[in-house]
Amino acid sequence: MAARRAAVIGTGLIGSSVGLGLRRAGWVVVGHDPDPRALAAALAAGAVDAAVPSSEAAFGDVEVAVIAAPVSVVPDIACAALDAGVVCVTDVGSVKGPIVAAVEAARPSTAARFVGGHPMAGSEQLGAAGADADLFVGASWVLTPTPRSDPDAFARVREIVSALGADVLAMTPEHHDEL
């Protein structure tokens, strides 16, 4: 049986921790970061199996894309992943309403495969050097499906997040942002 494949876009603390957790669970993880030093550090730390020169290059032949980038660029990266046919796309941004609304407005026919997410975990450490495969164990991870969300995409993201050890909470993007 072939290993499941994921793309992690953004290889700071959270993205690299996701990569470490997925790799420990048997996934093959391809990573991209616009900062070549951050990407090299993620590769050296074992957070990704392969480093690629662009987010678009990361989207080939992956089941899920996890976007761990600044919230201002998440919608554009999510749209690129959807355009590339990634089965499900999620993010780790701290706000959900604007991101989900932007993706749904930009890609009304494919936005159902995007499920916003926000792990309630972190560390005083920075970057891949501080990454930890156990960072999400016992932490809450909010997923923000909407009425337009594909139930299969939501179930897949929920399963992946749970496999990282997180306790999944589901709520609307607006409720998340109110809290």
Side-chain angles (χ1 to χ4, degrees):
M1 182 175 195
R4 295 173 84 179
R5 296 179 57 84
V8 173
I9 309 303
T11 56
L13 173 72
I14 300 297
S16 290
S17 294
V18 168
L20 287 170
L22 288 174
R23 289 194 69 226
R24 180 170 65 190
W27 289 69
V28 172
V29 179
V30 176
H32 171 71
D33 196 294
D35 179 348
R37 292 174 305 193
L39 188 55
L43 189 59
V48 297
D49 292 287
V52 295
S54 70
S55 57
E56 290 79 9
F59 299 142
D61 194 31
V62 297
E63 175 181 340
V64 63
V66 179
I67 304 166
V71 296
S72 62
V73 298
V74 168
D76 288 340
I77 297 170
C79 288
L82 294 169
D83 292 348
V86 176
V87 175
C88 59
V89 180
T90 190
D91 75 310
V92 299
S94 60
V95 297
K96 299 281 57 98
I99 291 171
V100 172
V103 172
E104 287 184 346
R107 297 296 185 278
S109 64
T110 58
R113 298 192 329 262
F114 177 76
V115 179
H118 183 197
M120 302 296 162
S123 168
E124 72 284 356
Q125 302 296 313
L126 297 174
D132 183 351
D134 291 324
L135 185 65
F136 309 110
V137 173
S140 295
W141 192 312
V142 178
L143 295 180
T144 59
T146 72
R148 298 166 93 180
S149 296
D150 179 327
D152 291 334
F154 174 76
R156 195 175 299 224
V157 173
R158 179 185 197 102
E159 177 256 321
I160 292 165
V161 168
S162 295
L164 295 174
D167 298 321
V168 177
L169 302 172
M171 62 185 70
T172 66
E174 296 77 20
H175 187 214
H176 169 274
D177 292 351
E178 286 173 17
L179 293 174

